[in-house]
Each structure stands twice: as C-alpha cells, then as structure tokens.
Amino acid sequence: MKIFLDTADINEINELSESGLIDGVTTNPSLASKSDKSFIDLIKEISSVIQGPISAEVTAENLTQMIKEADKLRKIADNIAIKVPLTVDGLKCCKKLSNDGTMVNVTLCFSANQALLAAKCGATFISPFVGRLDDIGIDGIDLISDILDIYDNYGFETQVLAASIRHPLHVLQVAKVGADVATLPPKIIKQLYDHPLTNKGLESFLSDWKKSGKKIT
Ligand code: G3P
C-alpha cells in the first residue's frame, strides 16, 4: 500500500520525507488555507520535496474555470495530480484532463456509484472519505471494499486512495481490504511506528548492554 501525507505543512513534509515512507502528498483547500505561502508557491515547494504524486485541488465549481485553474497547477511540475470534487463538472474536468494525460484525483467521494463514474472518467485516483462516513455512522471501510470489487469486475485502473483517515485502525482496515493508497495526517504516521512495547524492549536491551560494559568497536 502506498502512503501519502495528507497535509500542506511543508515542515512536516520535510521531516517525514527523510523516512523514505512517503509516496506522495494530498492537499485540499482547508489544508492549503493554513499556509502563509501562495498556493502556487506552496505546491511548487511540496512537489520539489516529494517525487511522488502531489494532489492540488481546484477551487472553481464550473468546468471552464476548473480547466483554467488546472492549467496553472499542472504547469508547476510533472508530478502534480489535479484534485477535482465529485460533481458533474468535476467529472467532466477529470475526463478532459485524463485524456490529456494529466493525473487526476477525484475527491469527496462518499458512494461506490460515485467511484464508478470517476473511474469511467479516467480518474488516476479516487478519494473515498472514510472518516467522514464513520462520523455519520456509515462504515467507510465497506465503501473502500465495494469500490475495489467494482473496479476489479471491470478492470478499472483507477487507484483507490483511502482518505479522511482518523486513526491507525483505519490504516489497518484499509490495508486489509487492499486500498492502493492511504493518505495520512502526519500525526497518524507517527502513531503507526510508535509502540510502547518496542520502546520498553529497546530500553531493556540498552540497559543490559550498558551494564555489560561491552562495545561495538
Ligand atoms: O484531504 C482529504 C481528506 O483526507 C480530508 O480528511 O480529516 O478533513 O475528513 P478530513
């Protein structure tokens, strides 16, 4: 499973990029609004740090303006994926951009039918929002599983990018059903590797080693 960072915080991106664990970055207008940089400069900087797909979302709601914004964004770097909402204009924009060979991430997906349409429009990625479905009592993991089944039935190559991940259990669950990608807030990535028994075991190893007086020389 590929891991993308779900943030527009360049400091967090720089810190985690050194781990070699980060396969891409997703941003959205809410995350980008927290940055003090212009959106173009922000995406330019992120795309220079991480070599994988960098999702930059259009904010226009009609096709004509979406295309104009997408043209500005995809000129930034070859690894830009244009993020469009799952609306009729977003799907039309997806079709046009994917026909041009531009990566498209169709976002704000909350049903398998929506995901089917996105795949038919040539989406590179589909972003079902697991956490926001869980927030209203609908099992977001079931949606991921349904989309994967549908895509397998018809050989769609659209990658299922599990989004709106709230905790490490979501990561485990989407990995078990076979999501292609999970986009994680930096805090959750740190929770994945941090385990109290690992820390306790290491402390015990090093304490015994120190008592032995031995050295690796
Ligand atoms: O960035 C897309 C998605 O991951 C947003 O998640 O936490 O705002 O529901 P969230």
Side-chain angles (χ1 to χ4, degrees):
M1 184 171 78
K2 283 177 269 188
I3 291 178
F4 289 4
L5 261 185
D6 197 28
T7 183
D9 184 318
I10 195 66
N11 295 325
E12 289 183 313
I13 294 168
N14 280 321
E15 180 189 347
L16 282 165
S17 68
E18 293 162 11
S19 69
L21 292 170
I22 308 306
D23 302 303
V25 174
T26 54
T27 69
N28 62 45
S30 300
L31 293 171
S33 66
K34 297 173 185 173
S35 173
D36 57 5
K37 299 176 190 297
S38 75
F39 188 47
I40 297 292
D41 288 346
L42 174 67
I43 297 301
K44 191 175 294 182
E45 187 167 0
I46 294 173
S47 62
S48 68
V49 174
I50 301 291
Q51 305 314 307
I54 309 301
S55 289
E57 190 162 342
V58 296
T59 56
E61 294 183 76
N62 68 74
L63 176 60
T64 305
Q65 294 305 317
M66 282 181 176
I67 294 293
K68 284 182 179 172
E69 289 181 358
D71 283 342
K72 290 176 186 169
L73 294 172
R74 59 183 172 173
K75 283 175 186 162
I76 294 172
D78 292 341
N79 57 331
I80 300 297
I82 303 298
K83 220 178 187 185
V84 296
L86 217 154
T87 61
V88 65
D89 280 68
L91 290 173
K92 290 175 183 173
C93 186
C94 176
K95 187 71 178 171
K96 277 182 172 291
L97 294 175
S98 60
N99 285 344
D100 291 348
T102 299
M103 285 191 287
V104 183
N105 179 357
V106 179
T107 190
L108 287 166
C109 172
F110 294 97
S111 79
N113 282 333
Q114 283 183 318
L116 173 60
L117 298 182
K120 287 178 67 66
C121 291
T124 313
F125 303 103
I126 182 69
S127 292
F129 279 30
V130 174
R132 294 193 192 187
L133 284 168
D134 286 8
D135 290 346
I136 61 168
I138 296 174
D139 190 329
I141 304 302
D142 283 347
L143 174 59
I144 301 291
S145 188
D146 288 348
I147 295 171
L148 287 164
D149 288 346
I150 291 168
Y151 284 10
D152 283 349
N153 288 345
Y154 300 100
F156 286 124
E157 294 183 3
T158 299
Q159 297 177 58
V160 179
L161 193 169
S164 188
I165 299 295
R166 294 277 196 275
H167 44 66
L169 182 58
H170 272 161
V171 181
L172 175 65
Q173 291 171 322
V174 300
K176 286 177 76 173
V177 296
D180 300 288
V181 188
T183 191
L184 313 180
K187 173 173 73 75
I188 293 179
I189 292 188
K190 293 168 186 171
Q191 287 175 298
L192 292 183
Y193 61 72
D194 196 19
H195 196 293
L197 289 180
T198 302
N199 300 335
K200 186 180 176 197
L202 181 59
E203 187 179 335
S204 170
F205 285 164
L206 296 182
S207 170
D208 292 342
W209 180 258
K210 190 174 181 183
K211 287 173 191 163
S212 76
K214 292 180 184 298
K215 302 276 186 202
I216 299 175
T217 53

